[in-house]
Amino acid sequence: MNETASKKAILIVIDGLTPSVFEAAVDDGRAPALSFLAQHGQYARAVSTFPSLTPVCLSSLATGAHPDVHHIPHLVWYDRERERLVEYGSSFAALRAAGMARSILDAIINMNRLHLSRGAVTVYEALEDAGLTTAAINITCYRGRTRHLPTLRGVAIPAYGPRRFFFYNLFESDPTGAPLAVFGRAQGSIDGYAAAVGRWLVTRDGFDFLVYYLPDYDFASHVYGPDGAFEALARSDAAVGALLDAAGGPEEFLERYAVILCSDHGQTRVEGSAQLQSALANVPGTLVTASNRAGMIYRLPGCKLEARGLADLLEGDPAAETILFGEGDEVIARRDGEEVTVDRDAPLFDYPDGGARAWAAVRNPNAGDVVVSAAPGIEFADLAGRHHAGGGSHGSLRRGDSEVPMLAIGFDAVPESIVDVAPAVLRHFGVEPPSYARALSRAA
Ligand SMILES: [Zn+2]
């Protein structure tokens, strides 16, 4: 701990918000709370992880690690150890196809209890071990040390979260009087719930560090496209404004709290969809998990092809822009017929933080044997055949999917990547980041 007590801190995550939309919204005053924060902080564009999909990204935000360390590979993946598919919620239809009850269990409980690596340390664990109180609202990566029982009567599955833990009414560590928010994304309801809980927490000054996660914007952006979701951004802005009000006003808010505001990934417009599995239709012993703009191929028992052989089958597929696979100690990347060995400390093609992100995605033990980054404008259909063609999507290594707005107020520097956020928060409180975070280097 620092000699002088550190200012309390809040991490605000607006899911799927792109830098250009953020920059435009704070420029013309359409988002008053965000504009106020932007005027008082340092801002830069930062980079997400890969696949640039919410469960992967939120795990990176919470642990300061890429998937090689935190082990969450995708929205949908194959659990080799338990020999079954895991579906965190590519779409409601995909959830139904994979089994609704089990998917909710996977997304809420198992991701934190079973899938998130024990080798990764969450920001909640690290800060509470140092004697601080952490709080989380609605973020799906919440692993902490405090046992919480669901609010649903008759359901006895505990979740281990931060001391103050609020998750879509299913877990509520304190009675806040917030309105009901069913798990799902009925328009506007989730951020409204977050705002009510956030107001309660700020009014009581009930934490040292709070993660305030707002998912509604991403949902709207998928439907209307990345530049068509301003109405949803107004709701996110109102949810941020609720925190400022609860502190007694914007100036008072910044007197009390250091703030990082960012998104988890970007979004790009998609015009068409593709079935990644079509190239593998006649190959026994393979399983494809794909959704949004990333896909993976798993070798199952009976598969006679090595990863390289599977990658060969995708050669010439216009939907598969970059194909990645491991071979011995190396990670190989192919794009447009060119094959390179991925150097985690060097750029890869023209992707932001490309080498580090591609390497970490393939070196995740839960990833497929082949990992695919989609071509611009294309989305891979999910388990139920659903996609967002005509709207927005994300998941690839491409800049538009991968760049996030990053605003820091009361921190020494602006995090360059979402994996730098947790270490920045830990250092803010005088807590040493885990060794994997200290070792991370970043190529330009
Ligand atoms: Zn999304």
Side-chain angles (χ1 to χ4, degrees), residues 226-243:
D227 299 314
F230 271 103
E231 196 210 329
L233 186 62
R235 290 201 300 272
S236 314
D237 187 77
V240 174
L243 300 185

Side-chain angles (χ1 to χ4, degrees), residues 95 121 145 157 177 203 329 357 362 399 440:
L95 274 180
V121 181
R145 311 237 189 255
I157 305 161
T203 301
D329 290 339
R357 294 196 298 142
V362 173
R399 186 171 297 276
L440 269 182

Side-chain angles (χ1 to χ4, degrees), residues 46 77 80 115 120 150 233 245 352 378 381:
W77 57 283
R80 294 181 178 91
H115 308 151
L233 186 62
D245 291 346
I378 297 293

Side-chain angles (χ1 to χ4, degrees), residues 218 222 265 394:
D218 185 67
H222 276 294
H265 54 71
H394 52 92

Side-chain angles (χ1 to χ4, degrees), residues 243-292:
L243 300 185
L244 274 51
D245 291 346
E251 307 288 349
E252 291 82 354
F253 178 79
L254 289 188
E255 270 164 34
R256 260 159 69 180
Y257 302 113
V259 179
I260 291 179
L261 185 147
C262 64
S263 68
D264 53 344
H265 54 71
Q267 276 218 20
T268 49
R269 183 157 276 286
V270 285
E271 309 296 347
S273 73
Q275 300 271 354
L276 190 60
Q277 52 270 41
S278 55
L280 296 140
N282 299 315
V283 185
T286 58
L287 178 78
V288 171
T289 65
S291 145
N292 287 269

Side-chain angles (χ1 to χ4, degrees), residues 15-16 52-55 75 90 185 213 215 217-219 221-222 264-267 292 379 388 392-395:
D15 196 309
S52 44
L53 296 162
T54 294
L75 269 169
S90 301
R185 291 178 176 183
Y213 170 63
Y217 181 82
D218 185 67
F219 180 73
S221 182
H222 276 294
D264 53 344
H265 54 71
Q267 276 218 20
N292 287 269
E379 185 173 70
H388 303 100
S393 187
H394 52 92

